[in-house]
């Protein structure tokens, strides 16, 4: 389980997160929905120990990410695309990650196949399409067979087949008892996979709970989103 | 277990990084090329006064090794921040940043040391073959150990400085210019004795009896001062890396 409690982050004068709290439960897909610059990535970066919060805590199964002895076996994450150096092949990127956890070469081949990257051979990451980068990031997230998946805008750049693959992947993961936290600004994508929803805007959680409850009283998730975030009412709304 | 795996991951990452091999190539082929050119000049004109002994000819090319070590030290860290920002994947796998930096430092030491072990006997051997004069083995070994230490410390200083800047451009330009063309500490030493206490001036006698400016520290105190600078910079780099947000 992922628990975020009272997370606040300020950069000098600017507050990017204020008192953000929510949970992501096992066996469920939690959609983390908000317009660009709402604080989704900042929250996930703190959860993964990349940035420090000004106040509050973010825990993975009750522990800070930085204290996990073998983090890739607990949490599979994807932020900022693939994270692969442009000179490396898909396999080359996964191999050093595997080394860090004593994961076998066979598992590297498995996740490459699962992500549809088995045929990329000697092609270097610098020449990958956006969709291939996302697939490589997802392959890396799956590498350690983790219970928890934390994915930041995973559908960006994926073709329709890729989006469908991603949807099956996260649904299967939750069905097997795993925890999935998936951020997005694309409502249709979230509506198609999420059990629970956390809506964030301007660094604050506007609503959180099961999808049906958050969208109750609205015709669509889109209507609920605009009503909750106050965005889209004119110029300067959702970008 | 975690530590040895973190080291294995960093070693694998560096050995598959073309920029790190560019550093090895500069040290190895650069030193060899300069040695061949100088040895040829000596060979063609045996009455030349300077640089007649093979060891002197080989050691005149050693600054190229410093440049190579600098390239290795810089790129091991700066490669984490280019393009798709590999640092995110690195810290997701090994969240302990002091461990990441320690592993990178060990990789720099290993790669520079192996480069030195290959490069130095090769350049000395080539100089000896071309010039034809014999080389004192004990003297050669002592001087090679000193020069290898200087290369390793230069690589580690480059690593530490790149932690502060994250981009490799500034440290690469400044350290290479300082190490090969104009030494800032050499210029400073002309106006103040403080210049002799900066890392590259302090350590310069590790190369042995090469022509250098008068004054300053002897071999052992100089080596200790240079090693002290290296340790200080690495500790400061670890503190900064530990506290800083990845994107901040």
């Amino acid at each position: 389980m992922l628990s975020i409690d009272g997370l606040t982050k300020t950069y000098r004068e600017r507050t990017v997160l204020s008192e953000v709290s929510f949970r992501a439960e096992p066996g469920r897909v939690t959609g983390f929905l908000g317009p660009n610059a709402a604080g989704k990535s900042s929250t996930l970066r703190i959860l993964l120990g990349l940035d420090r919060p000004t106040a509050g805590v973010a825990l993975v199964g009750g522990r800070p990410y930085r204290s996990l002895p073998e983090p890739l076996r607990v949490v599979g994450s994807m932020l900022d695309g693939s994270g692969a150096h442009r000179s490396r092949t898909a396999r080359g990127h996964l191999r050093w990650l595997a080394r860090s956890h004593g994961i076998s070469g066979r598992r590297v081949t498995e996740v490459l196949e699962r992500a549809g990257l088995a045929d990329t051979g000697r092609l270097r990451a610098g020449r990958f399409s956006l969709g291939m980068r996302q697939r490589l990031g997802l392959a890396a997230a799956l590498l350690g067979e983790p219970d928890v998946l934390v994915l930041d805008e995973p559908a960006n750049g994926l073709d329709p087949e890729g989006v469908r693959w991603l949807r099956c992947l996260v649904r299967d993961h939750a069905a097997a008892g795993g925890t999935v936290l998936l951020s997005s600004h694309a409502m249709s994508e979230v509506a198609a996979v999420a059990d629970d929803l956390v809506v964030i805007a301007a660094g604050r959680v506007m609503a959180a709970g099961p999808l049906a409850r958050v969208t109750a009283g609205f015709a669509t998730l889109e209507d609920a989103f605009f009503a909750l975030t106050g965005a889209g009412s004119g110029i300067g709304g959702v970008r | 277990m975690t530590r040895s795996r973190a080291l294995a991951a960093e070693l694998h990452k560096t050995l598959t990084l073309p920029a790190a091999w560019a550093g090895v190539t500069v040290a190895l082929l650069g030193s060899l090329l300069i040695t061949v050119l100088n040895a040829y000049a000596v060979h063609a004109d045996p009455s030349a006064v300077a640089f007649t002994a093979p060891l002197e000819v080989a050691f005149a090319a050693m600054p190229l090794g410093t440049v190579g070590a600098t390239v290795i030290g810089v790129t091991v860290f700066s490669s984490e921040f280019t393009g798709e920002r590999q640092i995110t994947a690195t810290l997701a796998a090994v969240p302990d940043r002091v461990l990441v930096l320690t592993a990178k430092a060990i990789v720099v030491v290993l790669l520079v040391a192996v480069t030195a072990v290959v490069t130095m006997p090769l350049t000395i051997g080539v100089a000896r073959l071309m010039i034809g004069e014999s080389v004192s083995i004990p003297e050669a070994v002592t001087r090679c150990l000193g020069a290898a230490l200087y290369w390793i410390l230069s690589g580690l200083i480059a690593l530490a400085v790149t932690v502060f800047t994250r981009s490799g451009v500034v440290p690469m330009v400044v350290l290479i210019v300082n190490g090969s063309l104009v030494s800032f500490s050499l210029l400073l030493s002309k106006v103040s004795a403080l210049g002799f206490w900066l890392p590259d001036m302090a350590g310069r006698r590790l190369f042995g009896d090469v022509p250098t400016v008068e004054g300053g520290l002897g071999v052992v105190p100089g080596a200790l001062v240079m090693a002290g600078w290296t340790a200080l910079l690495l500790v400061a780099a670890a503190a900064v890396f530990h506290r800083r947000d990845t994107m901040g």
Side-chain angles (χ1 to χ4, degrees):
Chain A
M1 188 188 64
L2 303 170
S3 55
I4 314 274
D5 275 305
L7 222 51
T8 297
K9 176 73 176 174
T10 53
Y11 292 103
R12 294 195 184 92
E13 303 293 289
R14 201 163 53 91
T15 301
V16 293
L17 296 176
S18 48
E19 295 283 325
V20 169
S21 300
F22 65 87
R23 302 235 177 304
E25 305 283 351
R28 301 180 74 83
V29 177
T30 304
F32 193 23
L33 189 64
N36 288 340
K40 301 187 297 293
S41 296
S42 298
T43 305
L44 300 185
R45 298 187 70 78
I46 292 170
L47 175 63
L48 297 171
L50 295 166
D51 292 356
R52 286 174 187 278
T54 310
V57 284
L59 303 174
V60 179
R63 300 179 68 172
Y65 188 92
R66 282 198 190 200
S67 76
L68 299 172
E70 292 192 306
L72 298 188
R73 295 192 192 276
V74 182
V75 182
S77 60
M78 187 186 77
L79 300 179
D80 301 334
S82 72
H85 189 269
R86 59 176 179 266
S87 69
R88 269 184 245 286
T89 60
R91 185 178 294 275
H93 176 63
L94 296 180
R95 276 180 65 188
W96 74 255
L97 273 174
R99 280 280 170 96
S100 71
H101 281 60
I103 294 168
S104 72
R106 204 176 60 222
R107 177 69 187 156
V108 169
T109 306
E110 268 172 33
V111 293
L112 278 172
E113 282 168 3
R114 188 142 178 229
L117 292 170
D119 302 332
T120 53
R122 301 187 64 82
L123 188 66
R124 299 189 184 275
R127 310 195 61 164
F128 278 15
S129 67
L130 185 55
M132 288 165 81
R133 281 180 214 160
Q134 295 293 96
R135 283 171 180 270
L136 179 53
L138 287 161
L142 296 173
L143 191 61
E145 303 179 63
D147 280 341
V148 181
L149 289 177
V150 175
L151 310 172
D152 192 13
E153 304 275 0
N156 267 2
L158 288 181
D159 56 16
E161 191 214 327
V163 172
R164 190 181 173 137
W165 167 73
L166 173 69
R167 200 185 301 148
C168 293
L169 178 95
V170 298
R171 286 295 351 155
D172 289 351
H173 196 82
T179 307
V180 181
L181 176 61
L182 173 152
S183 88
S184 180
H185 64 271
M187 280 162 279
S188 56
E189 178 189 316
V190 173
V193 295
D195 302 300
D196 296 324
L197 200 61
V198 177
V199 180
I200 187 171
R204 290 174 188 278
V205 172
M206 301 313 215
L211 185 68
R213 205 171 74 205
V214 173
T215 54
F218 298 99
T220 62
L221 172 60
E222 189 171 299
D223 291 341
F225 176 80
F226 286 124
L228 290 166
T229 61
S233 52
I235 297 164
V238 180
R239 277 165 288 163
Chain B
M1 200 61 158
T2 315
R3 285 179 195 160
S4 60
R5 282 175 178 168
L7 178 61
E10 286 302 329
L11 196 59
H12 186 100
K13 220 193 275 183
T14 304
L15 294 181
T16 52
L17 183 69
W21 285 103
V24 173
T25 308
V26 168
L28 180 61
L29 296 184
S31 305
L32 204 57
L33 182 70
I34 296 212
T35 304
V36 168
L37 291 174
N38 283 339
Y40 182 76
V42 173
H43 176 76
D45 179 13
S47 63
V49 197
F51 290 138
T52 42
L55 259 191
E56 303 313 322
V57 170
F59 268 75
M62 291 297 166
L64 266 297
T66 310
V67 172
T70 301
V71 172
I72 293 168
V74 168
T75 53
V76 158
F77 200 81
S78 67
S79 62
E80 297 279 352
F81 290 88
T82 55
E84 295 254 308
R85 297 177 77 92
Q86 184 181 264
I87 189 73
T88 308
T90 298
L91 294 178
V94 186
D96 180 345
R97 297 174 186 214
V98 175
L99 180 57
V100 170
L101 190 60
T102 307
K104 283 187 184 296
I106 293 171
V107 168
V108 169
V109 170
L110 291 176
L111 191 56
V112 175
V114 169
T115 306
V117 166
V118 176
T119 305
M120 291 175 183
L122 199 64
T123 51
I124 294 169
V126 165
R128 188 187 175 283
L129 268 179
M130 289 181 66
I131 296 168
E133 219 178 292
S134 70
V135 170
S136 148
I137 299 292
E139 190 195 349
V141 169
T142 314
R143 289 182 66 175
C144 285
L145 287 176
L149 179 61
Y150 188 96
W151 287 7
I152 287 168
L153 295 176
S154 299
L156 290 175
I157 288 172
L159 168 66
V161 171
T162 312
V163 173
F164 300 120
T165 62
R166 279 175 280 192
S167 152
V169 180
V170 172
M172 192 86 93
V173 170
V174 170
L175 293 171
I176 288 178
V177 166
N178 188 67
S180 58
L181 300 173
V182 192
S183 163
F184 301 114
S185 35
L186 174 69
L187 295 178
L188 180 62
S189 73
K190 303 278 186 199
V191 290
S192 160
L194 280 177
F196 289 115
W197 290 82
L198 291 174
D200 57 331
M201 278 300 276
R204 76 196 189 287
R205 292 190 194 279
L206 280 169
F207 288 110
D209 197 16
V210 288
T212 178
V213 289
E214 291 297 315
L217 301 163
V219 185
V220 175
L224 288 174
V225 168
M226 190 179 185
W229 273 107
T230 309
L232 191 71
L233 286 167
L234 281 174
V235 168
V240 166
F241 189 38
H242 181 69
R243 291 173 55 100
R244 190 167 57 189
D245 284 351
T246 321
M247 301 291 278

